[in-house]
Amino acid sequence: EDQVTQSPEALRLQEGESSSLNCSYTVSGLRGLFWYRQDPGKGPEFLFTLYSAGEEKEKERLKATLTKKESFLHITAPKPEDSATYLCAVQARNYGQNFVFGPGTRLSVLP
Amino acid sequence: DSGVTQTPKHLITATGQRVTLRCSPRSGDLSVYWYQQSLDQGLQFLIQYYNGEERAKGNILERFSAQQFPDLHSELNLSSLELGDSALYFCASSSTGGRQETQYFGPGTRLLVL
């Protein structure tokens, strides 16, 4: 059965303490994996798209990587403004052009 | 700012009522998607339109319907509302709705059914 999971459910870091968020997927024919950031009560904000295993993308303190079964979002020296829920979404053959979202990881960065 | 607009921002109504949510996609985008986000369900895909035609359906209830107009804006109609329909409703748009396209999300409409 196709599935998208994210771990941990919640993560609390001190400012400057680097860590990684995980998105695991079991889908048929991955077409793309997307990372979004969502602040409370707001719409998801696009971060990265990854299309094939081995691909990496970076933006400021964030780096996303992709393997055949999972993606990691690495956060280096996070700041309090990085606090948000991070969502991953997959587009797969069985879903056509549609996204299936994981449940998200709620990140809190304490000053 | 993603360029996707949604109105209204907030909506409070009673059970059994009907409401209409509106979405304007980014300039040039032909495809519109609707999602529902509740506390216990996460983001759930409802329906997709491309250039006025329905392209895909997800977990959309029969009480819900949508359409996309010639000017490409879209409306999501929710009827016979129940308490459980209280949620954030997001619209997203993409260029052609094709494979591997990024979807850009609007700010959402928060619906509260009392």
Side-chain angles (χ1 to χ4, degrees), chain A residues 14-52:
Chain A
Q14 288 296 135
E15 185 172 1
E17 180 187 0
S18 301
S19 188
S20 296
L21 314 182
N22 175 266
C23 172
S24 295
Y25 60 91
T26 52
V27 297
S28 301
L30 179 74
R31 290 185 172 145
L33 187 141
F34 302 76
W35 281 99
Y36 287 83
R37 167 198 169 121
Q38 186 175 25
D39 293 305
K42 298 194 174 180
E45 175 189 340
F46 171 71
L47 294 174
F48 303 108
T49 309
L50 302 166
Y51 296 115
S52 56

PDB file of all heavy atoms in Angstrom, chain A residues 14-52:
ATOM      1  N   GLN A  14      17.655  23.511  20.157  1.00  0.00           N
ATOM      2  CA  GLN A  14      18.198  24.791  20.596  1.00  0.00           C
ATOM      3  C   GLN A  14      18.740  25.507  19.365  1.00  0.00           C
ATOM      4  O   GLN A  14      19.169  24.878  18.388  1.00  0.00           O
ATOM      5  CB  GLN A  14      19.336  24.582  21.597  1.00  0.00           C
ATOM      6  CG  GLN A  14      18.896  24.099  22.971  1.00  0.00           C
ATOM      7  CD  GLN A  14      18.020  25.122  23.686  1.00  0.00           C
ATOM      8  OE1 GLN A  14      16.992  24.789  24.264  1.00  0.00           O
ATOM      9  NE2 GLN A  14      18.440  26.385  23.645  1.00  0.00           N
ATOM     10  N   GLU A  15      18.721  26.810  19.401  1.00  0.00           N
ATOM     11  CA  GLU A  15      19.285  27.589  18.296  1.00  0.00           C
ATOM     12  C   GLU A  15      20.713  27.136  18.045  1.00  0.00           C
ATOM     13  O   GLU A  15      21.517  27.022  18.976  1.00  0.00           O
ATOM     14  CB  GLU A  15      19.241  29.076  18.636  1.00  0.00           C
ATOM     15  CG  GLU A  15      19.707  29.962  17.498  1.00  0.00           C
ATOM     16  CD  GLU A  15      19.476  31.431  17.784  1.00  0.00           C
ATOM     17  OE1 GLU A  15      18.977  31.768  18.881  1.00  0.00           O
ATOM     18  OE2 GLU A  15      19.802  32.254  16.904  1.00  0.00           O
ATOM     19  N   GLY A  16      21.018  26.834  16.773  1.00  0.00           N
ATOM     20  CA  GLY A  16      22.349  26.389  16.407  1.00  0.00           C
ATOM     21  C   GLY A  16      22.554  24.884  16.443  1.00  0.00           C
ATOM     22  O   GLY A  16      23.587  24.388  15.972  1.00  0.00           O
ATOM     23  N   GLU A  17      21.567  24.149  16.946  1.00  0.00           N
ATOM     24  CA  GLU A  17      21.684  22.689  17.048  1.00  0.00           C
ATOM     25  C   GLU A  17      21.149  22.045  15.772  1.00  0.00           C
ATOM     26  O   GLU A  17      19.945  21.974  15.547  1.00  0.00           O
ATOM     27  CB  GLU A  17      20.898  22.200  18.267  1.00  0.00           C
ATOM     28  CG  GLU A  17      20.934  20.707  18.475  1.00  0.00           C
ATOM     29  CD  GLU A  17      20.004  20.261  19.595  1.00  0.00           C
ATOM     30  OE1 GLU A  17      19.327  21.133  20.205  1.00  0.00           O
ATOM     31  OE2 GLU A  17      19.929  19.047  19.856  1.00  0.00           O
ATOM     32  N   SER A  18      22.029  21.533  14.950  1.00  0.00           N
ATOM     33  CA  SER A  18      21.641  20.955  13.653  1.00  0.00           C
ATOM     34  C   SER A  18      20.928  19.618  13.832  1.00  0.00           C
ATOM     35  O   SER A  18      21.198  18.879  14.784  1.00  0.00           O
ATOM     36  CB  SER A  18      22.876  20.775  12.775  1.00  0.00           C
ATOM     37  OG  SER A  18      23.522  22.010  12.574  1.00  0.00           O
ATOM     38  N   SER A  19      20.054  19.289  12.902  1.00  0.00           N
ATOM     39  CA  SER A  19      19.328  18.020  12.950  1.00  0.00           C
ATOM     40  C   SER A  19      18.749  17.702  11.574  1.00  0.00           C
ATOM     41  O   SER A  19      18.942  18.464  10.618  1.00  0.00           O
ATOM     42  CB  SER A  19      18.213  18.094  13.987  1.00  0.00           C
ATOM     43  OG  SER A  19      17.616  16.823  14.192  1.00  0.00           O
ATOM     44  N   SER A  20      18.073  16.558  11.489  1.00  0.00           N
ATOM     45  CA  SER A  20      17.469  16.128  10.223  1.00  0.00           C
ATOM     46  C   SER A  20      16.049  15.652  10.444  1.00  0.00           C
ATOM     47  O   SER A  20      15.740  15.030  11.468  1.00  0.00           O
ATOM     48  CB  SER A  20      18.279  14.982   9.593  1.00  0.00           C
ATOM     49  OG  SER A  20      19.560  15.410   9.244  1.00  0.00           O
ATOM     50  N   LEU A  21      15.204  15.941   9.465  1.00  0.00           N
ATOM     51  CA  LEU A  21      13.836  15.442   9.441  1.00  0.00           C
ATOM     52  C   LEU A  21      13.740  14.387   8.352  1.00  0.00           C
ATOM     53  O   LEU A  21      14.387  14.505   7.306  1.00  0.00           O
ATOM     54  CB  LEU A  21      12.843  16.581   9.129  1.00  0.00           C
ATOM     55  CG  LEU A  21      13.012  17.890   9.881  1.00  0.00           C
ATOM     56  CD1 LEU A  21      11.922  18.865   9.483  1.00  0.00           C
ATOM     57  CD2 LEU A  21      13.030  17.667  11.368  1.00  0.00           C
ATOM     58  N   ASN A  22      12.906  13.383   8.602  1.00  0.00           N
ATOM     59  CA  ASN A  22      12.814  12.272   7.666  1.00  0.00           C
ATOM     60  C   ASN A  22      11.429  12.181   7.026  1.00  0.00           C
ATOM     61  O   ASN A  22      10.416  12.414   7.668  1.00  0.00           O
ATOM     62  CB  ASN A  22      13.109  10.961   8.400  1.00  0.00           C
ATOM     63  CG  ASN A  22      12.912   9.754   7.514  1.00  0.00           C
ATOM     64  OD1 ASN A  22      11.846   9.137   7.500  1.00  0.00           O
ATOM     65  ND2 ASN A  22      13.936   9.424   6.749  1.00  0.00           N
ATOM     66  N   CYS A  23      11.417  11.851   5.742  1.00  0.00           N
ATOM     67  CA  CYS A  23      10.178  11.557   5.024  1.00  0.00           C
ATOM     68  C   CYS A  23      10.391  10.212   4.339  1.00  0.00           C
ATOM     69  O   CYS A  23      11.249  10.094   3.460  1.00  0.00           O
ATOM     70  CB  CYS A  23       9.887  12.644   4.003  1.00  0.00           C
ATOM     71  SG  CYS A  23       8.501  12.263   2.891  1.00  0.00           S
ATOM     72  N   SER A  24       9.629   9.223   4.733  1.00  0.00           N
ATOM     73  CA  SER A  24       9.735   7.895   4.125  1.00  0.00           C
ATOM     74  C   SER A  24       8.521   7.629   3.263  1.00  0.00           C
ATOM     75  O   SER A  24       7.405   7.971   3.647  1.00  0.00           O
ATOM     76  CB  SER A  24       9.836   6.813   5.217  1.00  0.00           C
ATOM     77  OG  SER A  24      11.017   6.954   5.945  1.00  0.00           O
ATOM     78  N   TYR A  25       8.742   7.012   2.126  1.00  0.00           N
ATOM     79  CA  TYR A  25       7.622   6.776   1.234  1.00  0.00           C
ATOM     80  C   TYR A  25       7.700   5.371   0.643  1.00  0.00           C
ATOM     81  O   TYR A  25       8.775   4.832   0.414  1.00  0.00           O
ATOM     82  CB  TYR A  25       7.588   7.825   0.115  1.00  0.00           C
ATOM     83  CG  TYR A  25       8.828   7.848  -0.747  1.00  0.00           C
ATOM     84  CD1 TYR A  25       8.912   7.078  -1.900  1.00  0.00           C
ATOM     85  CD2 TYR A  25       9.918   8.647  -0.399  1.00  0.00           C
ATOM     86  CE1 TYR A  25      10.052   7.094  -2.689  1.00  0.00           C
ATOM     87  CE2 TYR A  25      11.053   8.668  -1.176  1.00  0.00           C
ATOM     88  CZ  TYR A  25      11.115   7.892  -2.320  1.00  0.00           C
ATOM     89  OH  TYR A  25      12.237   7.908  -3.100  1.00  0.00           O
ATOM     90  N   THR A  26       6.544   4.812   0.455  1.00  0.00           N
ATOM     91  CA  THR A  26       6.432   3.552  -0.283  1.00  0.00           C
ATOM     92  C   THR A  26       5.353   3.772  -1.315  1.00  0.00           C
ATOM     93  O   THR A  26       4.171   3.627  -1.044  1.00  0.00           O
ATOM     94  CB  THR A  26       6.067   2.375   0.642  1.00  0.00           C
ATOM     95  OG1 THR A  26       4.903   2.722   1.405  1.00  0.00           O
ATOM     96  CG2 THR A  26       7.201   2.051   1.588  1.00  0.00           C
ATOM     97  N   VAL A  27       5.765   4.185  -2.501  1.00  0.00           N
ATOM     98  CA  VAL A  27       4.828   4.456  -3.581  1.00  0.00           C
ATOM     99  C   VAL A  27       5.351   3.805  -4.850  1.00  0.00           C
ATOM    100  O   VAL A  27       6.540   3.518  -4.970  1.00  0.00           O
ATOM    101  CB  VAL A  27       4.637   5.977  -3.807  1.00  0.00           C
ATOM    102  CG1 VAL A  27       4.032   6.647  -2.592  1.00  0.00           C
ATOM    103  CG2 VAL A  27       5.940   6.633  -4.190  1.00  0.00           C
ATOM    104  N   SER A  28       4.452   3.619  -5.766  1.00  0.00           N
ATOM    105  CA  SER A  28       4.836   3.035  -7.046  1.00  0.00           C
ATOM    106  C   SER A  28       5.148   4.139  -8.034  1.00  0.00           C
ATOM    107  O   SER A  28       4.295   4.955  -8.337  1.00  0.00           O
ATOM    108  CB  SER A  28       3.694   2.175  -7.584  1.00  0.00           C
ATOM    109  OG  SER A  28       3.384   1.142  -6.672  1.00  0.00           O
ATOM    110  N   GLY A  29       6.358   4.151  -8.522  1.00  0.00           N
ATOM    111  CA  GLY A  29       6.693   5.118  -9.560  1.00  0.00           C
ATOM    112  C   GLY A  29       6.727   6.544  -9.068  1.00  0.00           C
ATOM    113  O   GLY A  29       5.909   7.373  -9.464  1.00  0.00           O
ATOM    114  N   LEU A  30       7.712   6.855  -8.226  1.00  0.00           N
ATOM    115  CA  LEU A  30       7.831   8.226  -7.717  1.00  0.00           C
ATOM    116  C   LEU A  30       8.142   9.163  -8.871  1.00  0.00           C
ATOM    117  O   LEU A  30       9.090   8.963  -9.625  1.00  0.00           O
ATOM    118  CB  LEU A  30       8.930   8.300  -6.664  1.00  0.00           C
ATOM    119  CG  LEU A  30       9.155   9.688  -6.075  1.00  0.00           C
ATOM    120  CD1 LEU A  30       8.027  10.047  -5.111  1.00  0.00           C
ATOM    121  CD2 LEU A  30      10.499   9.781  -5.366  1.00  0.00           C
ATOM    122  N   ARG A  31       7.386  10.238  -8.960  1.00  0.00           N
ATOM    123  CA  ARG A  31       7.652  11.241  -9.994  1.00  0.00           C
ATOM    124  C   ARG A  31       8.337  12.457  -9.406  1.00  0.00           C
ATOM    125  O   ARG A  31       9.070  13.161 -10.109  1.00  0.00           O
ATOM    126  CB  ARG A  31       6.345  11.651 -10.656  1.00  0.00           C
ATOM    127  CG  ARG A  31       5.764  10.562 -11.515  1.00  0.00           C
ATOM    128  CD  ARG A  31       4.552  11.027 -12.257  1.00  0.00           C
ATOM    129  NE  ARG A  31       4.123  10.009 -13.215  1.00  0.00           N
ATOM    130  CZ  ARG A  31       2.869   9.759 -13.512  1.00  0.00           C
ATOM    131  NH1 ARG A  31       1.909  10.449 -12.922  1.00  0.00           N
ATOM    132  NH2 ARG A  31       2.550   8.847 -14.396  1.00  0.00           N
ATOM    133  N   GLY A  32       8.052  12.724  -8.159  1.00  0.00           N
ATOM    134  CA  GLY A  32       8.672  13.878  -7.524  1.00  0.00           C
ATOM    135  C   GLY A  32       8.385  13.875  -6.042  1.00  0.00           C
ATOM    136  O   GLY A  32       7.339  13.373  -5.611  1.00  0.00           O
ATOM    137  N   LEU A  33       9.306  14.416  -5.266  1.00  0.00           N
ATOM    138  CA  LEU A  33       9.101  14.571  -3.833  1.00  0.00           C
ATOM    139  C   LEU A  33       9.296  16.039  -3.514  1.00  0.00           C
ATOM    140  O   LEU A  33      10.278  16.648  -3.941  1.00  0.00           O
ATOM    141  CB  LEU A  33      10.076  13.703  -3.026  1.00  0.00           C
ATOM    142  CG  LEU A  33       9.813  13.686  -1.517  1.00  0.00           C
ATOM    143  CD1 LEU A  33      10.035  12.307  -0.937  1.00  0.00           C
ATOM    144  CD2 LEU A  33      10.620  14.741  -0.790  1.00  0.00           C
ATOM    145  N   PHE A  34       8.351  16.605  -2.809  1.00  0.00           N
ATOM    146  CA  PHE A  34       8.304  18.046  -2.577  1.00  0.00           C
ATOM    147  C   PHE A  34       8.357  18.319  -1.074  1.00  0.00           C
ATOM    148  O   PHE A  34       7.689  17.641  -0.299  1.00  0.00           O
ATOM    149  CB  PHE A  34       7.012  18.634  -3.153  1.00  0.00           C
ATOM    150  CG  PHE A  34       6.831  18.395  -4.630  1.00  0.00           C
ATOM    151  CD1 PHE A  34       6.442  17.156  -5.102  1.00  0.00           C
ATOM    152  CD2 PHE A  34       7.064  19.416  -5.541  1.00  0.00           C
ATOM    153  CE1 PHE A  34       6.283  16.927  -6.476  1.00  0.00           C
ATOM    154  CE2 PHE A  34       6.902  19.202  -6.896  1.00  0.00           C
ATOM    155  CZ  PHE A  34       6.523  17.960  -7.370  1.00  0.00           C
ATOM    156  N   TRP A  35       9.136  19.317  -0.690  1.00  0.00           N
ATOM    157  CA  TRP A  35       9.153  19.767   0.700  1.00  0.00           C
ATOM    158  C   TRP A  35       8.496  21.147   0.787  1.00  0.00           C
ATOM    159  O   TRP A  35       8.774  22.036  -0.028  1.00  0.00           O
ATOM    160  CB  TRP A  35      10.586  19.853   1.224  1.00  0.00           C
ATOM    161  CG  TRP A  35      11.183  18.537   1.627  1.00  0.00           C
ATOM    162  CD1 TRP A  35      12.026  17.749   0.897  1.00  0.00           C
ATOM    163  CD2 TRP A  35      11.000  17.862   2.877  1.00  0.00           C
ATOM    164  NE1 TRP A  35      12.365  16.626   1.610  1.00  0.00           N
ATOM    165  CE2 TRP A  35      11.752  16.660   2.825  1.00  0.00           C
ATOM    166  CE3 TRP A  35      10.269  18.139   4.036  1.00  0.00           C
ATOM    167  CZ2 TRP A  35      11.803  15.755   3.887  1.00  0.00           C
ATOM    168  CZ3 TRP A  35      10.310  17.240   5.086  1.00  0.00           C
ATOM    169  CH2 TRP A  35      11.076  16.065   5.004  1.00  0.00           C
ATOM    170  N   TYR A  36       7.653  21.274   1.802  1.00  0.00           N
ATOM    171  CA  TYR A  36       6.989  22.538   2.076  1.00  0.00           C
ATOM    172  C   TYR A  36       7.195  22.895   3.547  1.00  0.00           C
ATOM    173  O   TYR A  36       7.329  22.030   4.409  1.00  0.00           O
ATOM    174  CB  TYR A  36       5.479  22.451   1.819  1.00  0.00           C
ATOM    175  CG  TYR A  36       5.078  22.409   0.368  1.00  0.00           C
ATOM    176  CD1 TYR A  36       5.086  21.210  -0.346  1.00  0.00           C
ATOM    177  CD2 TYR A  36       4.662  23.567  -0.298  1.00  0.00           C
ATOM    178  CE1 TYR A  36       4.696  21.173  -1.682  1.00  0.00           C
ATOM    179  CE2 TYR A  36       4.269  23.536  -1.617  1.00  0.00           C
ATOM    180  CZ  TYR A  36       4.291  22.334  -2.306  1.00  0.00           C
ATOM    181  OH  TYR A  36       3.905  22.300  -3.626  1.00  0.00           O
ATOM    182  N   ARG A  37       7.128  24.179   3.822  1.00  0.00           N
ATOM    183  CA  ARG A  37       7.136  24.672   5.183  1.00  0.00           C
ATOM    184  C   ARG A  37       5.770  25.310   5.424  1.00  0.00           C
ATOM    185  O   ARG A  37       5.248  26.031   4.574  1.00  0.00           O
ATOM    186  CB  ARG A  37       8.227  25.736   5.312  1.00  0.00           C
ATOM    187  CG  ARG A  37       8.154  26.550   6.581  1.00  0.00           C
ATOM    188  CD  ARG A  37       8.934  27.826   6.497  1.00  0.00           C
ATOM    189  NE  ARG A  37       8.597  28.667   7.649  1.00  0.00           N
ATOM    190  CZ  ARG A  37       9.482  29.084   8.530  1.00  0.00           C
ATOM    191  NH1 ARG A  37      10.775  28.808   8.386  1.00  0.00           N
ATOM    192  NH2 ARG A  37       9.096  29.829   9.563  1.00  0.00           N
ATOM    193  N   GLN A  38       5.172  25.036   6.588  1.00  0.00           N
ATOM    194  CA  GLN A  38       3.875  25.635   6.887  1.00  0.00           C
ATOM    195  C   GLN A  38       3.901  26.265   8.269  1.00  0.00           C
ATOM    196  O   GLN A  38       4.186  25.610   9.271  1.00  0.00           O
ATOM    197  CB  GLN A  38       2.746  24.596   6.817  1.00  0.00           C
ATOM    198  CG  GLN A  38       1.372  25.221   6.983  1.00  0.00           C
ATOM    199  CD  GLN A  38       0.249  24.232   6.804  1.00  0.00           C
ATOM    200  OE1 GLN A  38       0.409  23.035   7.004  1.00  0.00           O
ATOM    201  NE2 GLN A  38      -0.915  24.731   6.422  1.00  0.00           N
ATOM    202  N   ASP A  39       3.596  27.554   8.316  1.00  0.00           N
ATOM    203  CA  ASP A  39       3.432  28.262   9.568  1.00  0.00           C
ATOM    204  C   ASP A  39       1.981  28.122  10.021  1.00  0.00           C
ATOM    205  O   ASP A  39       1.084  27.952   9.184  1.00  0.00           O
ATOM    206  CB  ASP A  39       3.818  29.733   9.409  1.00  0.00           C
ATOM    207  CG  ASP A  39       5.304  29.883   9.138  1.00  0.00           C
ATOM    208  OD1 ASP A  39       6.093  29.359   9.947  1.00  0.00           O
ATOM    209  OD2 ASP A  39       5.679  30.501   8.129  1.00  0.00           O
ATOM    210  N   PRO A  40       1.736  28.197  11.327  1.00  0.00           N
ATOM    211  CA  PRO A  40       0.368  27.974  11.834  1.00  0.00           C
ATOM    212  C   PRO A  40      -0.661  28.870  11.155  1.00  0.00           C
ATOM    213  O   PRO A  40      -0.475  30.088  11.050  1.00  0.00           O
ATOM    214  CB  PRO A  40       0.500  28.315  13.330  1.00  0.00           C
ATOM    215  CG  PRO A  40       1.925  28.037  13.650  1.00  0.00           C
ATOM    216  CD  PRO A  40       2.697  28.428  12.423  1.00  0.00           C
ATOM    217  N   GLY A  41      -1.734  28.261  10.674  1.00  0.00           N
ATOM    218  CA  GLY A  41      -2.824  29.011  10.064  1.00  0.00           C
ATOM    219  C   GLY A  41      -2.535  29.558   8.684  1.00  0.00           C
ATOM    220  O   GLY A  41      -3.344  30.302   8.134  1.00  0.00           O
ATOM    221  N   LYS A  42      -1.404  29.179   8.089  1.00  0.00           N
ATOM    222  CA  LYS A  42      -1.044  29.695   6.769  1.00  0.00           C
ATOM    223  C   LYS A  42      -0.901  28.560   5.775  1.00  0.00           C
ATOM    224  O   LYS A  42      -0.860  27.401   6.143  1.00  0.00           O
ATOM    225  CB  LYS A  42       0.251  30.501   6.857  1.00  0.00           C
ATOM    226  CG  LYS A  42       0.135  31.716   7.757  1.00  0.00           C
ATOM    227  CD  LYS A  42       1.285  32.667   7.554  1.00  0.00           C
ATOM    228  CE  LYS A  42       1.061  33.944   8.362  1.00  0.00           C
ATOM    229  NZ  LYS A  42       2.156  34.908   8.193  1.00  0.00           N
ATOM    230  N   GLY A  43      -0.830  28.935   4.506  1.00  0.00           N
ATOM    231  CA  GLY A  43      -0.685  27.940   3.467  1.00  0.00           C
ATOM    232  C   GLY A  43       0.742  27.416   3.387  1.00  0.00           C
ATOM    233  O   GLY A  43       1.697  28.103   3.742  1.00  0.00           O
ATOM    234  N   PRO A  44       0.910  26.187   2.930  1.00  0.00           N
ATOM    235  CA  PRO A  44       2.263  25.631   2.757  1.00  0.00           C
ATOM    236  C   PRO A  44       3.092  26.469   1.798  1.00  0.00           C
ATOM    237  O   PRO A  44       2.591  26.905   0.756  1.00  0.00           O
ATOM    238  CB  PRO A  44       2.004  24.240   2.192  1.00  0.00           C
ATOM    239  CG  PRO A  44       0.622  23.889   2.650  1.00  0.00           C
ATOM    240  CD  PRO A  44      -0.114  25.189   2.619  1.00  0.00           C
ATOM    241  N   GLU A  45       4.347  26.671   2.162  1.00  0.00           N
ATOM    242  CA  GLU A  45       5.279  27.453   1.341  1.00  0.00           C
ATOM    243  C   GLU A  45       6.295  26.501   0.730  1.00  0.00           C
ATOM    244  O   GLU A  45       6.961  25.743   1.426  1.00  0.00           O
ATOM    245  CB  GLU A  45       5.984  28.492   2.211  1.00  0.00           C
ATOM    246  CG  GLU A  45       7.051  29.296   1.513  1.00  0.00           C
ATOM    247  CD  GLU A  45       7.854  30.137   2.494  1.00  0.00           C
ATOM    248  OE1 GLU A  45       7.361  30.393   3.607  1.00  0.00           O
ATOM    249  OE2 GLU A  45       8.993  30.519   2.171  1.00  0.00           O
ATOM    250  N   PHE A  46       6.413  26.549  -0.597  1.00  0.00           N
ATOM    251  CA  PHE A  46       7.285  25.629  -1.306  1.00  0.00           C
ATOM    252  C   PHE A  46       8.751  25.837  -0.930  1.00  0.00           C
ATOM    253  O   PHE A  46       9.235  26.968  -0.856  1.00  0.00           O
ATOM    254  CB  PHE A  46       7.099  25.819  -2.811  1.00  0.00           C
ATOM    255  CG  PHE A  46       8.109  25.077  -3.643  1.00  0.00           C
ATOM    256  CD1 PHE A  46       8.057  23.699  -3.733  1.00  0.00           C
ATOM    257  CD2 PHE A  46       9.106  25.755  -4.318  1.00  0.00           C
ATOM    258  CE1 PHE A  46       8.980  23.008  -4.498  1.00  0.00           C
ATOM    259  CE2 PHE A  46      10.033  25.083  -5.085  1.00  0.00           C
ATOM    260  CZ  PHE A  46       9.982  23.702  -5.171  1.00  0.00           C
ATOM    261  N   LEU A  47       9.463  24.708  -0.716  1.00  0.00           N
ATOM    262  CA  LEU A  47      10.896  24.759  -0.433  1.00  0.00           C
ATOM    263  C   LEU A  47      11.714  24.103  -1.546  1.00  0.00           C
ATOM    264  O   LEU A  47      12.559  24.738  -2.157  1.00  0.00           O
ATOM    265  CB  LEU A  47      11.199  24.056   0.897  1.00  0.00           C
ATOM    266  CG  LEU A  47      10.653  24.694   2.167  1.00  0.00           C
ATOM    267  CD1 LEU A  47      10.917  23.792   3.364  1.00  0.00           C
ATOM    268  CD2 LEU A  47      11.266  26.082   2.385  1.00  0.00           C
ATOM    269  N   PHE A  48      11.493  22.804  -1.774  1.00  0.00           N
ATOM    270  CA  PHE A  48      12.308  22.047  -2.713  1.00  0.00           C
ATOM    271  C   PHE A  48      11.480  21.018  -3.474  1.00  0.00           C
ATOM    272  O   PHE A  48      10.471  20.550  -2.977  1.00  0.00           O
ATOM    273  CB  PHE A  48      13.399  21.230  -1.969  1.00  0.00           C
ATOM    274  CG  PHE A  48      14.321  22.014  -1.105  1.00  0.00           C
ATOM    275  CD1 PHE A  48      14.229  21.932   0.269  1.00  0.00           C
ATOM    276  CD2 PHE A  48      15.300  22.830  -1.669  1.00  0.00           C
ATOM    277  CE1 PHE A  48      15.096  22.643   1.076  1.00  0.00           C
ATOM    278  CE2 PHE A  48      16.170  23.553  -0.859  1.00  0.00           C
ATOM    279  CZ  PHE A  48      16.061  23.453   0.516  1.00  0.00           C
ATOM    280  N   THR A  49      12.003  20.663  -4.655  1.00  0.00           N
ATOM    281  CA  THR A  49      11.529  19.498  -5.375  1.00  0.00           C
ATOM    282  C   THR A  49      12.719  18.603  -5.676  1.00  0.00           C
ATOM    283  O   THR A  49      13.773  19.085  -6.119  1.00  0.00           O
ATOM    284  CB  THR A  49      10.878  19.873  -6.712  1.00  0.00           C
ATOM    285  OG1 THR A  49       9.907  20.894  -6.496  1.00  0.00           O
ATOM    286  CG2 THR A  49      10.207  18.669  -7.327  1.00  0.00           C
ATOM    287  N   LEU A  50      12.557  17.300  -5.453  1.00  0.00           N
ATOM    288  CA  LEU A  50      13.584  16.313  -5.771  1.00  0.00           C
ATOM    289  C   LEU A  50      12.957  15.276  -6.683  1.00  0.00           C
ATOM    290  O   LEU A  50      11.836  14.824  -6.445  1.00  0.00           O
ATOM    291  CB  LEU A  50      14.107  15.643  -4.491  1.00  0.00           C
ATOM    292  CG  LEU A  50      14.704  16.589  -3.445  1.00  0.00           C
ATOM    293  CD1 LEU A  50      14.860  15.875  -2.116  1.00  0.00           C
ATOM    294  CD2 LEU A  50      16.057  17.119  -3.931  1.00  0.00           C
ATOM    295  N   TYR A  51      13.681  14.880  -7.730  1.00  0.00           N
ATOM    296  CA  TYR A  51      13.084  13.993  -8.720  1.00  0.00           C
ATOM    297  C   TYR A  51      13.700  12.608  -8.761  1.00  0.00           C
ATOM    298  O   TYR A  51      13.022  11.642  -9.141  1.00  0.00           O
ATOM    299  CB  TYR A  51      13.191  14.618 -10.107  1.00  0.00           C
ATOM    300  CG  TYR A  51      12.424  15.892 -10.266  1.00  0.00           C
ATOM    301  CD1 TYR A  51      13.079  17.097 -10.502  1.00  0.00           C
ATOM    302  CD2 TYR A  51      11.039  15.911 -10.167  1.00  0.00           C
ATOM    303  CE1 TYR A  51      12.370  18.285 -10.650  1.00  0.00           C
ATOM    304  CE2 TYR A  51      10.324  17.097 -10.311  1.00  0.00           C
ATOM    305  CZ  TYR A  51      11.001  18.268 -10.552  1.00  0.00           C
ATOM    306  OH  TYR A  51      10.299  19.446 -10.682  1.00  0.00           O
ATOM    307  N   SER A  52      14.992  12.505  -8.404  1.00  0.00           N
ATOM    308  CA  SER A  52      15.623  11.194  -8.537  1.00  0.00           C
ATOM    309  C   SER A  52      16.585  10.958  -7.382  1.00  0.00           C
ATOM    310  O   SER A  52      17.137  11.897  -6.784  1.00  0.00           O
ATOM    311  CB  SER A  52      16.356  11.108  -9.882  1.00  0.00           C
ATOM    312  OG  SER A  52      17.291  12.148  -9.996  1.00  0.00           O
TER     313      SER A  52
END
